[in-house]
Amino acid sequence: MCGFEQEDDVAYYEKHIFVCINRRNNSRSCAGNGSDQMQEHAKKRSRQMDLANLDKIRINKSGCLGRCEHGPVAVVYPDGVWYAYRTREDLEEIIAEHIGNNRIVERLKIPAYKD
């Protein structure tokens, strides 16, 4: 088996959240808005929530996701749903609703593609 082959069609993680923690020299960067601390909080909080298949969820730090105008941002894969959040509670809602209940949090969702 080499690099990209899989033995089956099941993804290793059911949901993978990437939280941008990139820091730029302006106030619009994700890390400039506390995303690094929020990513750590999201990981801890997801462990505290009663979510089924918690071992199938991953919340990772990410470099720049190229969505600075919305920052701070996170994206959930394999769904390809992008979110802009401002508070820890926003991230907790994304985890509880999108991950726990498989429902998109419309109020925090941002367009997946450029217009």
Side-chain angles (χ1 to χ4, degrees):
M1 179 177 236
C2 69
F4 298 107
E5 296 173 0
Q6 276 188 252
E7 291 183 21
D8 54 34
D9 291 335
V10 178
Y12 191 79
Y13 294 114
E14 289 177 11
K15 302 285 184 192
H16 205 148
I17 304 173
F18 292 93
V19 178
C20 178
I21 62 160
N22 193 55
R23 184 173 303 277
R24 295 185 187 269
N25 292 329
N26 63 48
S27 61
R28 291 175 55 181
S29 75
C30 291
N33 284 291
S35 65
D36 42 356
Q37 294 91 0
M38 288 205 217
Q39 185 270 342
E40 289 295 326
H41 172 76
K43 281 179 68 172
K44 290 176 187 170
R45 188 68 181 110
S46 69
R47 290 185 200 110
Q48 295 169 345
M49 292 179 172
D50 187 25
L51 300 174
N53 297 321
L54 189 56
D55 59 333
K56 293 289 188 178
I57 299 166
R58 184 77 176 177
I59 302 174
N60 276 98
K61 296 176 183 176
S62 171
C64 185
L65 293 170
R67 306 299 302 271
C68 301
E69 70 276 13
H70 298 286
V73 298
V75 61
V76 178
Y77 284 110
D79 306 336
V81 176
W82 290 81
Y83 290 107
Y85 60 90
R86 296 288 178 248
T87 66
R88 290 178 174 200
E89 292 76 20
D90 288 346
L91 273 177
E92 289 178 17
E93 184 177 356
I94 292 166
I95 294 165
E97 288 299 311
H98 194 129
I99 305 306
N101 296 317
N102 207 31
R103 289 191 295 246
I104 294 172
V105 182
E106 293 294 336
R107 73 178 191 84
L108 299 173
K109 184 180 172 194
I110 59 175
Y113 302 101
K114 293 181 182 181
D115 293 335

